[in-house]
């Protein structure tokens, strides 16, 4: 089973730091980072900021470890960390995700 973990970060520096750690530690196979415009209520005020969204691909069994690691590294008091299960996908890609998230495994490149 596979999952996508969606994370919002303060800026690209933070997103890159977290993404690199998650990939190096084999918690995710891949993380895509993109600048987004966020509008939200915080502390009773409407805020509008540029932030960075991360879309991370992993196996469902690794999600709790991903959440724990992101919380350790994230600058926000209440970081956006959500996830959902993948119902399907291109099987060779999913096989690669599985390989890349095996602890202690040196997987082949794409």
């Amino acid at each position: 089973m596979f999952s996508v973990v969606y994370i919002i970060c303060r800026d690209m520096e933070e997103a890159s730091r977290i993404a690199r750690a998650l990939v190096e530690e084999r918690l995710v196979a891949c993380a895509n980072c993109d600048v987004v415009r966020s509008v939200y209520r915080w502390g009773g005020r409407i805020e509008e900021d540029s932030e960075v969204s991360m879309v991370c691909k992993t196996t469902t069994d690794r999600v709790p470890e991903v959440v724990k690691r992101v919380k350790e590294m994230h600058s926000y008091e209440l970081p956006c960390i959500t996830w959902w299960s993948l119902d399907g996908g291109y099987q060779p890609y999913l096989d690669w995700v599985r390989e890349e998230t095996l602890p202690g495994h040196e997987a082949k490149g794409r």
Side-chain angles (χ1 to χ4, degrees):
M1 193 105 181
F2 299 91
S3 291
V4 172
V5 181
Y6 179 76
I7 303 159
I8 294 291
C9 293
R10 177 187 63 230
D11 55 28
M12 192 59 79
E13 181 180 324
E14 180 174 70
S16 294
R17 182 174 48 82
I18 292 172
R20 180 167 286 279
L22 294 176
V23 171
E24 286 176 352
E25 296 169 23
R26 294 194 175 279
L27 297 175
V28 305
C30 175
N32 305 109
C33 304
D34 199 19
V35 176
V36 297
R37 193 77 184 152
S38 298
V39 179
Y40 56 96
R41 186 181 309 276
W42 186 254
R45 294 180 35 199
I46 302 292
E47 303 286 343
E48 190 169 342
D49 292 305
S50 288
E51 295 179 295
V52 175
S53 67
M54 294 174 56
V55 177
C56 304
K57 281 73 73 180
T58 190
T59 54
T60 301
D61 63 325
R62 300 293 266 175
V63 169
E65 294 171 272
V66 171
V67 173
K68 180 180 185 288
R69 189 66 173 115
V70 170
K71 285 173 32 182
E72 292 171 354
M73 300 181 71
H74 208 287
S75 64
Y76 286 177
E77 176 184 339
L78 183 64
C80 169
I81 309 168
T82 61
W83 61 92
W84 57 91
S85 296
L86 290 175
D87 291 332
Y90 180 54
Q91 194 59 52
Y93 180 78
L94 297 177
D95 293 342
W96 175 79
V97 170
R98 179 179 288 114
E99 277 187 41
E100 289 300 323
T101 56
L102 290 172
H105 180 71
E106 288 303 316
K108 299 173 278 212
R110 294 196 287 181

